[in-house]
Amino acid sequence: MEPERLERFARHIVLPEIGGAGQAALAGSHVLLVGLGGIGAPALQYLAAAGIGTLTLVDDDDVDLTNLQRQTIYTTRDIGHGKAVAARRWVSNFDNALDVTISDARITPESAARVVESVDLVLDGTDNFATRLAVSDACVAERVPLLSAAVGRFQGQVGAFAGHLVGQPCYRCYVGDAFDADDCDTCAEDGMLGAMAGWAASFAAMQAVRILVSGNGGMGEPQWGQLHLLDGLKPGMRSLKIAKDPACKACGSTIG
């Protein structure tokens, strides 16, 4: 690692749980970030700050004035422009040593496998079940781990899934098949505390780092199948374990 990069990530490297080997693992990792909204925008800031070497950013939406309350990489100058393009511009200004590719095509069940192949981790911050399930199913098929994060009002959730592994659940095991329709509630209808999106997103970024350095063992297990529920009103957090569904149409064959 070049001296400038060593200095940039010095606060990571002095952590025994990460160290030089962990930082090198982050630099060599490829993360796909699906959705650049309330979760994806602040999560991207911490993924880039962590030195994730290769980032693929996917969002088919444009920046809107209402986004600025919580989607912290955008400014008023970005309104009306594509989120993926604006996000790549942000990363380039922040750290031009990172390799960034973008897509403004909406992910579908037909295209998802092509999008997730060859990445080390997917972080899904989209706002509808149809896309989440398409991404999850593709992750199982392509044997890619998935972090799924969501937020609304004063609540958030972050879960790590590896349904391609024997005995481990996928996201579909958690929500079932009833949500394949594009039918989520939206923050326009329900509202959202901007800082709540930041909490869920930064926690998701931390879990991403945990997974990517897990080969070195420093931050512990990847926590597959654990769902962390965040409550901004208490405030507090609780965790629960998701069971693998033997009848799951995506990962049921990997019961073992």
Side-chain angles (χ1 to χ4, degrees):
M1 198 174 289
E2 296 177 357
E4 181 183 351
R5 304 302 281 177
L6 288 172
E7 183 177 2
R8 185 176 188 123
F9 302 112
R11 301 305 188 273
H12 266 181
I13 293 170
V14 298
L15 291 170
E17 294 83 358
I18 296 180
Q23 192 59 49
L26 295 174
S29 295
H30 184 177
V31 173
L32 167 64
L33 184 54
V34 185
L36 298 167
I39 294 290
L44 175 59
Q45 292 179 298
Y46 281 101
L47 294 174
I52 306 297
T54 305
L55 296 161
T56 297
L57 313 177
V58 179
D59 199 304
D60 67 337
D61 201 5
D62 294 335
V63 179
D64 182 84
L65 179 61
T66 62
N67 298 152
L68 303 186
Q69 168 252 9
R70 64 201 177 280
Q71 300 179 22
T72 48
I73 60 174
Y74 308 123
T75 71
T76 52
R77 290 186 177 184
D78 296 315
I79 293 172
H81 296 278
K83 288 185 177 180
V85 173
R88 179 173 59 186
R89 184 184 307 119
W90 181 89
V91 176
S92 179
N93 289 332
F94 179 75
D95 186 352
N96 61 11
L98 305 181
D99 183 6
V100 182
T101 58
I102 64 171
S103 172
D104 60 2
R106 190 175 184 84
I107 290 181
T108 66
E110 293 73 31
S111 67
R114 184 174 65 255
V115 176
V116 309
E117 65 180 358
S118 302
V119 305
D120 298 304
L121 176 68
V122 174
L123 199 168
D124 183 1
T126 55
D127 61 359
N128 67 87
F129 285 114
T131 303
R132 292 177 195 167
L133 286 167
V135 170
S136 175
D137 292 349
C139 284
V140 174
E142 297 297 322
R143 303 186 63 80
V144 175
L146 169 68
L147 270 173
S148 182
V151 66
R153 293 179 59 82
F154 298 93
Q155 288 78 42
Q157 63 180 42
V158 178
F161 300 94
H164 58 286
L165 299 179
V166 172
Q168 297 295 344
C170 70
Y171 180 76
R172 187 178 287 276
C173 291
Y174 168 46
V175 301
D177 299 331
F179 295 104
D180 282 291
D182 192 354
D183 61 354
C184 280
D185 295 332
T186 69
C187 61
E189 298 167 346
D190 296 337
M192 184 190 303
L193 180 68
M196 190 68 222
W199 182 18
S202 60
F203 187 81
M206 185 179 73
Q207 294 298 86
V209 172
R210 175 192 298 276
I211 291 168
L212 294 171
V213 303
S214 62
N216 300 316
M219 290 181 66
E221 295 298 317
Q223 300 186 351
W224 304 132
Q226 287 194 42
L227 184 72
H228 302 282
L229 304 175
L230 288 63
D231 187 329
L233 286 179
K234 286 186 176 180
M237 186 174 72
R238 63 188 179 93
S239 303
L240 54 90
K241 184 74 173 176
I242 304 299
K244 191 175 186 74
D245 179 4
C248 177
K249 67 182 185 181
C251 74
S253 63
T254 60
I255 298 298

